[in-house]
């Protein structure tokens, strides 16, 4: 037993597993090196100075820091343009702004990765809401994945027979049982879409995926992509916000929708967050690497304990999320409680499954985070339904991720495993 009450047995198991992960860790470090190079060179090229930390208030005209942050996102994401704002409440809000910016009454939106993320159901009108896209006469359809990949034939046929304005691709799995979509699959399907229907806008929900692969969706043909700053690119430091990156004309439309037509991107006070957003993107390569190492280690440890995991420790990853398929509610609850106990904030809280708005089943969540709801910090959640999957992600540093994992493993070992 050490100061955290972690048994020798757990320490031994986790250390053994860690030794088997080194090859994967080396690959993660290599990508972290490349991403750090991209970020640092962009800071220098864009001449980040202390005056970028200054805030604007009121309308927020001439915000040097805000405009510099957007230039840095353009560089590191390889996009033509970007909108990076604290006026976005969350990733879901940025996705909403993007939909309303691109779609007009009678336009058709097509999701090709099955039903989108839960928070978008009322936005699209899959679930009734008087302010949905549907209420404005925007039509929606979806095509499911088959065997964790796009249904190329069905997509091709649909695009040939319908005038689709926007195709949406969600890379990360959300609370589904499918795999997340690798950048190679995204590249392949975009190529096909552009051949069949060159004017269709391809929009990617890139939440949890930034800095995980060598390329981002806009570098493999996507027109526009969206992500949250309380995930990967906020580096655990951004207090809120989100980004939209892609084609200049589309980013302009998003700016007009986020604020107001006519003022668009010229307004939006940074209210003192510029330094945190800059520090966040600066830390992001390393924080994403820590999260990935924690995910790889978790995968290896839980597999050694006899649980089903996805992805396996050495599989190509699309995002920072690790699933443990527990197949019983007790282990899911105990494991999640262990993650909470291994956090720096609210470690003495006992998390319980609860009824969350927008979800049919009860959900259990561990998020002992500095920033409310941040899931680039070590966190774990899952709906209480078959097959009882834990969705674990994040860790600001790998050592903290490893300690949190040990606490969680200990909780499920006590059951006699
Ligand atoms: C997290 C997430 C979102 C929404 O992000 P929030 O910042 O929580 O609103 C959207 N899509 C996917 C796939 C996500 O994982």
């Amino acid at each position: 037993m050490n100061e955290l009450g972690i048994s020798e047995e757990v320490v031994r198991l986790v250390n053994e597993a860690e030794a088997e992960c080194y090859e994967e860790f080396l690959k993660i470090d290599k990508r972290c090196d490349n991403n750090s190079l991209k970020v640092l060179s962009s800071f220098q090229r864009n001449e980040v100075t202390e005056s970028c930390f200054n805030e604007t208030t009121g309308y927020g005209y001439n915000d040097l820091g805000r405009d510099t942050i957007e230039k840095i996102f353009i560089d590191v994401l390889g996009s033509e343009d970007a909108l990076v704002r604290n006026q976005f409440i969350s990733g879901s809000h940025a996705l909403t702004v993007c939909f309303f910016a691109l779609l007009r009454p009678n336009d058709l939106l097509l999701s090709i990765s099955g039903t989108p993320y839960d928070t978008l159901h009322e936005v699209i009108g899959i679930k009734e809401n008087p302010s949905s896209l549907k209420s404005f006469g925007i039509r929606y359809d979806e095509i499911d994945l088959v065997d964790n990949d796009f249904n190329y034939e069905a997509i091709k046929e649909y695009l040939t027979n319908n005038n689709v304005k926007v195709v949406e691709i969600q890379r990360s799995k959300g609370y589904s049982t499918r795999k997340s979509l690798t950048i190679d699959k995204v590249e392949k399907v975009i190529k096909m879409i552009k051949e069949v229907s060159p004017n269709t806008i391809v929009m990617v929900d890139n939440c949890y995926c930034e800095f995980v692969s060598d390329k981002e969706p806009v570098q493999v043909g996507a027109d526009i992509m969206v992500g949250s700053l309380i995930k990967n690119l906020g580096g655990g430091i951004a207090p809120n916000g989100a980004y939209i990156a892609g084609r200049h004309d589309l980013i302009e439309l998003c700016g007009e929708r986020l604020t107001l037509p006519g003022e668009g991107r010229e307004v939006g006070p940074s209210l003192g967050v510029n330094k945190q957003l800059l520090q966040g993107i600066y830390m992001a390569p390393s924080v994403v690497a820590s999260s990935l190492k924690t995910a790889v280690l978790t995968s290896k440890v839980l597999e050694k304990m006899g649980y089903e995991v996805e992805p396996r420790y050495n599989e190509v990853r699309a995002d920072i999320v690790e699933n443990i398929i527990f197949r019983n509610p007790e282990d899911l609850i105990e494991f999640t409680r262990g993650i909470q106990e291994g956090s720096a904030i609210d470690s003495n809280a006992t998390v319980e499954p609860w009824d969350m708005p927008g979800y049919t089943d009860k959900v259990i969540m561990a998020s002992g985070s500095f920033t409310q709801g941040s899931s680039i910090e070590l966190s774990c959640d899952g709906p209480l339904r078959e097959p009882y999957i834990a969705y674990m992600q994040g860790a600001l540093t790998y050592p903290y991720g490893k300690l949190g994992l040990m606490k969680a493993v200990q909780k499920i070992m006590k059951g006699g495993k």
Side-chain angles (χ1 to χ4, degrees):
M1 286 278 183
N2 56 22
E3 296 92 320
L4 283 179
I6 300 164
S7 71
E8 293 302 326
E9 191 190 358
V10 171
V11 173
R12 207 173 317 116
L13 169 69
V14 172
N15 284 338
E16 260 174 40
E18 187 182 48
E20 296 169 53
C21 293
Y22 275 120
E23 229 170 278
E24 296 311 309
F25 285 7
L26 282 178
K27 291 183 213 163
I28 293 168
D29 285 335
K30 186 123 220 127
R31 193 153 290 137
C32 179
D33 285 355
N34 291 339
N35 288 327
S36 301
L37 175 68
K38 270 192 229 173
V39 170
L40 182 61
S41 62
S42 176
F43 267 61
Q44 298 186 355
R45 193 165 42 250
N46 291 298
E47 298 177 0
V48 176
T49 60
E50 218 179 325
S51 50
C52 292
F53 303 158
N54 293 342
E55 65 172 8
T56 56
T57 56
Y59 297 126
Y61 295 131
N62 303 316
D63 193 313
L64 174 70
R66 182 193 69 203
D67 298 346
T68 306
I69 290 163
E70 292 183 340
K71 286 182 191 156
I72 291 169
F73 272 67
I74 289 169
D75 283 348
V76 302
L77 297 174
S79 64
E80 199 175 285
D81 206 347
L83 188 62
V84 186
R85 299 294 169 108
N86 54 310
Q87 278 80 25
F88 288 125
I89 301 307
S90 60
S92 302
H93 181 211
L95 287 159
T96 302
V97 166
C98 194
F99 282 134
F100 278 93
L102 304 180
L103 293 154
R104 297 291 176 270
N106 213 33
D107 279 348
L108 178 56
L109 166 66
L110 175 68
S111 161
I112 58 167
S113 40
T115 308
Y117 198 68
D118 303 72
T119 53
L120 299 177
H121 294 184
E122 287 183 51
V123 175
I124 294 169
I126 297 169
K127 191 177 169 206
E128 283 303 322
N129 184 297
S131 297
S132 67
L133 291 169
K134 191 179 163 197
S135 77
F136 286 91
I138 291 156
R139 296 169 299 141
Y140 169 77
D141 214 343
E142 61 188 40
I143 296 174
D144 280 332
L145 297 171
V146 277
D147 297 330
N148 293 306
D149 204 346
F150 297 104
N151 188 345
Y152 293 91
E153 277 315 303
I155 297 165
K156 193 170 176 178
E157 192 186 315
Y158 195 97
L159 290 173
T160 309
N161 296 320
N162 297 277
N163 189 5
V164 177
K165 178 77 172 288
V166 175
V167 160
E168 199 234 4
I169 299 170
Q170 179 189 312
R171 293 187 64 198
S172 195
K173 66 190 70 154
Y175 277 155
S176 74
T177 53
R178 67 156 167 104
K179 292 186 180 200
S180 296
L181 294 158
T182 60
I183 195 74
D184 291 345
K185 286 176 182 165
V186 171
E187 179 166 21
K188 188 173 159 197
V189 82
I190 293 176
K191 197 155 173 265
M192 192 268 281
I193 293 167
K194 292 292 175 185
E195 275 164 19
V196 188
S197 184
N199 292 329
T200 296
I201 298 165
V202 178
M203 167 183 164
V204 177
D205 175 351
N206 205 37
C207 283
Y208 283 138
C209 299
E210 300 89 359
F211 284 168
V212 173
S213 325
D214 287 326
K215 287 182 183 164
E216 301 299 338
V218 289
Q219 295 172 297
V220 298
D223 296 291
I224 194 159
M225 68 185 195
V226 183
S228 169
L229 292 188
I230 59 169
K231 294 182 179 173
N232 302 20
L233 293 185
I237 294 176
N240 83 321
Y243 77 87
I244 306 180
R247 258 169 52 190
H248 172 69
D249 58 331
L250 306 181
I251 297 298
E252 285 289 323
L253 287 172
C254 291
E256 304 281 295
R257 176 53 49 199
L258 172 62
T259 68
L260 58 152
E263 297 190 22
R265 307 164 66 187
E266 301 299 314
V267 293
S270 57
L271 303 174
V273 305
N274 286 343
K275 183 177 165 190
Q276 285 167 290
L277 298 198
L278 284 164
Q279 238 174 337
I281 187 76
Y282 181 76
M283 295 301 293
S286 159
V287 173
V288 170
S290 301
S291 300
L292 285 169
K293 285 181 185 172
T294 303
V296 166
L297 182 67
T298 300
S299 182
K300 188 73 202 180
V301 169
L302 274 289
E303 184 179 292
K304 275 167 115 50
M305 292 173 77
Y307 292 102
E308 215 176 308
V309 291
E310 201 286 307
R312 286 200 63 210
Y313 77 105
N314 58 358
E315 255 178 83
V316 174
R317 282 170 193 266
D319 59 20
I320 61 168
V321 182
E322 183 64 37
N323 284 172
I324 306 119
I325 299 121
F326 280 120
R327 304 212 178 272
N328 72 78
E330 296 79 24
D331 281 347
L332 169 60
I333 293 170
E334 285 306 310
F335 186 85
T336 308
R337 285 182 176 160
I339 293 292
Q340 183 76 30
E341 287 178 19
S343 306
I345 315 298
D346 294 331
S347 63
N348 54 4
T350 303
V351 292
E352 298 283 351
W354 61 298
D355 287 304
M356 252 173 47
Y359 293 86
T360 345
D361 304 279
K362 280 188 161 55
V363 176
I364 187 158
M365 280 197 168
S367 179
S369 53
F370 289 87
T371 296
Q372 188 186 100
S374 166
S375 45
I376 188 62
E377 300 182 48
L378 183 65
S379 49
C380 181
D381 41 70
L384 269 283
R385 65 170 178 241
E386 295 279 354
Y388 299 101
I389 303 176
Y391 296 80
M392 187 183 141
Q393 62 275 314
L396 295 184
T397 75
Y398 170 65
Y400 290 133
K402 185 175 160 187
L403 289 171
L405 171 65
M406 285 180 178
K407 289 293 279 186
V409 164
Q410 176 134 327
K411 287 289 248 196
I412 50 174
M413 261 194 172
K414 281 203 183 125
K417 273 253 178 314

